[in-house]
């Protein structure tokens, strides 16, 4: 699903992330990469690709590698949605 709003809908974002990070039951806006068992390099790339597609943005590599929490992901999405 494509999200066009400038304000990030955290509930929908978490739905996207739950599909990527399977078995992450306690996934929340406060989650960090170290807390999510399936947050590895491959799933990180999948997350960025899916976020880019759903939000119609293009997060560059430099920003991508800085994302190590859901809050940072949200801030990055907001940066690109401007």
């Amino acid at each position: 699903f494509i999200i066009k709003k400038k304000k990030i809908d955290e509930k929908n974002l978490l739905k996207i992330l739950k599909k990527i990070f399977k078995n992450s039951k306690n996934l929340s806006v406060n989650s960090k990469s170290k807390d999510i068992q399936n947050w590895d390099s491959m799933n990180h790339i999948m997350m960025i690709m899916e976020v880019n597609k759903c939000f119609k943005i293009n997060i560059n590599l430099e920003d991508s590698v800085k994302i190590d929490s859901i809050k940072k992901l949200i801030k990055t999405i907001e940066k690109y949605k401007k």
Side-chain angles (χ1 to χ4, degrees):
F1 47 101
I2 296 174
I3 303 167
K4 295 181 180 179
K5 301 174 197 168
K6 288 201 182 230
K7 177 74 175 123
I8 305 306
D9 182 345
E10 294 172 358
K11 187 176 176 182
N12 280 331
L13 177 61
L14 289 173
K15 279 185 189 178
I16 294 167
L17 298 177
K18 284 180 181 178
K19 287 181 184 177
I20 295 166
F21 302 118
K22 295 171 177 68
N23 301 324
S24 297
K25 295 174 185 90
N26 297 326
L27 195 64
S28 75
V29 175
N30 296 314
S31 298
K32 297 183 179 179
S33 60
K34 64 180 175 123
D35 302 325
I36 301 172
Q37 181 181 3
N38 294 330
W39 192 325
D40 57 18
S41 58
M42 193 62 149
N43 280 337
H44 186 89
I45 292 168
M46 289 177 59
M47 173 186 71
I48 298 301
M49 289 172 53
E50 190 64 24
V51 165
N52 281 340
K53 183 175 98 181
C54 291
F55 288 93
K56 292 189 169 187
I57 58 177
N58 191 15
I59 299 171
N60 68 32
L61 182 60
E62 186 178 324
D63 287 334
S64 173
V65 297
K66 294 177 187 173
I67 298 170
D68 63 355
S69 68
I70 305 302
K71 283 186 179 179
K72 282 187 183 176
L73 175 61
I74 291 170
K75 286 181 181 179
T76 304
I77 295 169
E78 290 172 342
K79 172 185 167 183
Y80 281 83
K81 289 297 285 180
K82 290 183 180 178

